[in-house]
């Protein structure tokens, strides 16, 4: 039943999108030439309507290519809206480029701009409303997706906890099958062992089968696949090594053999790496120029208030576990424990001027030169000194994954409050999320959050300076 409902919803989705887009251009024409002042009609409405037919069909095709008419039950709203705006912008750029080259008809650029804002704006509002409506329907027991779970171990329990925590996804577990009953008090209805799978599939006709078998039952996977294909049931498999995988794994192929990359890192793509490095170079140069007067004052203050070097250099572990020296304005008296000792808010080693620098995060400004050199990035996991890397890599799961990208002045963990005396494990989780979900927009978001929080943030209380 869910398949028929989904098909009907998709058709209505396409139809209403088409109607909204088709009506948006004459509405934009009316706004430009009848509502706004100074409009002179050089191209009649009839000519715009011919363009409207082509543009509506092109946009609907692009929306479909961007996956906007697939099931978005588990897709975050922000991703759907981002795809909508990206697809619309792509078509508008192509249209304007074509009109510029051909010079056939001189359409009003303001009319096309209003069409874009009006059409995409209404489509966005429609999707927000649809999400809220479907969420309410699903919470009341409508538009549910009925699933059968195979397995009774930890993987199956984790899946059940996930869908139970997100009721608006609209999943209904009709039961589970396993070699033996689960001892969990929250387990759903037990439907038997794997030998009865074909009969259960024929009886319940689930919308989806979730295979979450443990290692001891992994040998039954061919039997499970054969039974689901025979019944025409959609099968999704939770790998037995799911706990070690990222949420967005990547597949390669060699000689017809699929290879699963456990961790997908967008910055392994040279184009992504080039864009990020370009942003780092341009951003660090601008910041060095803008902050140079402040840095001169800070350097003079450090020199006049305590003996020793102006710049404090400390060895840190960077990308690919390569060591580098990170720069700061010295905020402490020269001491012998700078490579192993933790610094705290109240630390006798701090100078009075150094305390001021740290409070305002002015001591971080020399790291712009680290970014320019290529040792660091504006955004990334905070680098650690070798002493603590050797300690954390033994105690904190996945800690060394952070060294697959350049360390940063600020990062996703820091803007979420994970700095100073906070959980190393949580910081690593945030760092890995950033690494796996990197994008230029994500970097800009972190930079803006850093600025609005009022300072560059360090995650380790900047030990031993």
């Amino acid at each position: 039943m869910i398949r028929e409902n989904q098909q009907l919803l998709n058709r209505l989705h396409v139809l209403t999108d088409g109607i909204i887009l088709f009506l948006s251009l004459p509405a934009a024409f009316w706004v430009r030439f009848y509502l706004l002042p100074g409009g002179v009609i050089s191209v009649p409405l009839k000519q715009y309507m011919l363009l409207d037919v082509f543009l509506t069909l092109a946009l609907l095709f692009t929306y479909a290519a961007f996956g906007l008419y697939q099931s978005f039950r588990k897709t975050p709203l922000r991703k759907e809206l981002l795809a909508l705006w990206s697809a619309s912008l792509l078509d508008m750029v192509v249209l304007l480029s074509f009109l510029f080259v051909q010079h056939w008809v001189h359409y009003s650029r303001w009319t096309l701009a209003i069409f874009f804002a009006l059409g995409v704006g209404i489509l966005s509002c429609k999707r927000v409303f649809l999400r809220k409506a479907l969420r309410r329907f699903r919470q009341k027991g409508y538009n549910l997706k009925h699933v059968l779970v195979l397995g009774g171990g930890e993987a199956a329990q984790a899946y059940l906890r996930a869908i139970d925590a997100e009721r608006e996804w609209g999943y209904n577990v009709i039961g589970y099958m396993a070699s033996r009953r689960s001892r969990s008090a929250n387990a759903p209805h037990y439907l038997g062992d794997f030998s009865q799978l074909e009969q259960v599939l024929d009886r319940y006709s689930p919308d989806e089968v979730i295979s979450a078998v443990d290692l001891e039952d992994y040998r039954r996977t061919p039997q499970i696949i054969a039974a689901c294909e025979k019944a025409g049931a959609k099968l999704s498999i939770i790998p037995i090594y799911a706990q070690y995988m990222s949420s967005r794994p990547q597949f390669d192929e060699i000689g017809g053999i699929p290879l699963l990359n456990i961790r997908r890192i967008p910055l392994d793509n040279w184009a992504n790496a080039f864009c990020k490095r370009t942003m780092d170079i341009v951003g660090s140069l601008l910041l060095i120029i803008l902050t140079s007067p402040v840095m001169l004052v800070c350097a003079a203050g450090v020199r006049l208030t305590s003996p020793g070097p102006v710049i404090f250099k400390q060895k840190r572990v960077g990308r690919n576990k390569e060591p580098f020296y990170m720069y700061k304005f010295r905020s402490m008296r020269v001491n012998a424990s700078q490579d192993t000792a933790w610094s705290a808010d109240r630390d006798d080693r701090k100078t009075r001027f150094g305390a001021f620098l740290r409070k305002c995060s002015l001591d971080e400004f020399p790291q712009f030169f680290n970014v320019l050199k290529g040792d660091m990035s504006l955004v990334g996991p905070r680098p650690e000194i070798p002493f603590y890397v050797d300690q954390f890599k033994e105690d904190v799961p996945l800690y060394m994954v952070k060294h697959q990208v350049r360390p940063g002045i600020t990062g996703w963990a820091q803007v979420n409050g994970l700095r100073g005396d906070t959980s190393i494990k949580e910081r690593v989780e945030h760092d890995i999320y950033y690494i796996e979900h990197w994008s230029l927009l994500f970097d800009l978001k972190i930079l803006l959050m850093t600025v609005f929080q009022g300072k560059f943030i360090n995650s380790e209380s900047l030990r031993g300076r």
Side-chain angles (χ1 to χ4, degrees), residues 141-245:
Y142 302 105
N143 190 238
L144 298 180
K145 189 170 188 176
H146 304 285
V147 297
L148 170 65
V149 177
L150 304 182
E154 180 53 37
Q157 293 300 320
Y159 173 81
L160 293 172
R161 288 193 297 269
I163 62 174
D164 186 62
E166 302 290 348
R167 293 285 186 176
E168 65 270 17
W169 289 350
Y171 282 91
N172 174 52
V173 179
I174 60 179
Y176 79 101
M177 303 184 72
S179 298
R180 52 184 177 273
R181 286 180 179 272
S182 171
R183 296 180 180 180
S184 173
N186 299 322
H189 180 52
Y190 180 64
L191 298 175
D193 60 27
F194 296 109
S195 64
Q196 305 172 57
L197 179 57
E198 290 190 18
Q199 293 89 333
V200 170
L201 291 175
D202 289 339
R203 179 180 177 184
Y204 290 96
S205 299
D207 298 305
E208 187 174 5
V209 178
I210 305 297
S211 176
V213 296
D214 291 332
L215 182 60
E216 62 183 44
D217 289 322
Y218 187 71
R219 59 184 175 81
R220 299 183 182 273
T221 300
Q223 172 193 347
I224 292 170
I225 294 174
C228 290
E229 289 182 344
K230 182 178 180 181
K234 178 183 177 182
L235 173 65
S236 297
I237 299 176
I238 300 176
I240 58 175
Y241 41 81
Q243 59 181 319
Y244 305 107
M245 293 173 56

Side-chain angles (χ1 to χ4, degrees), residues 38 46 121 130 178 221 232 239 277 303 321 330 356 390 405 454:
K46 180 180 179 180
L130 185 61
T221 300
R277 183 64 188 140
R303 172 66 71 182
K321 298 177 286 186
R330 183 172 53 83
F356 166 75
D390 292 338
V405 299

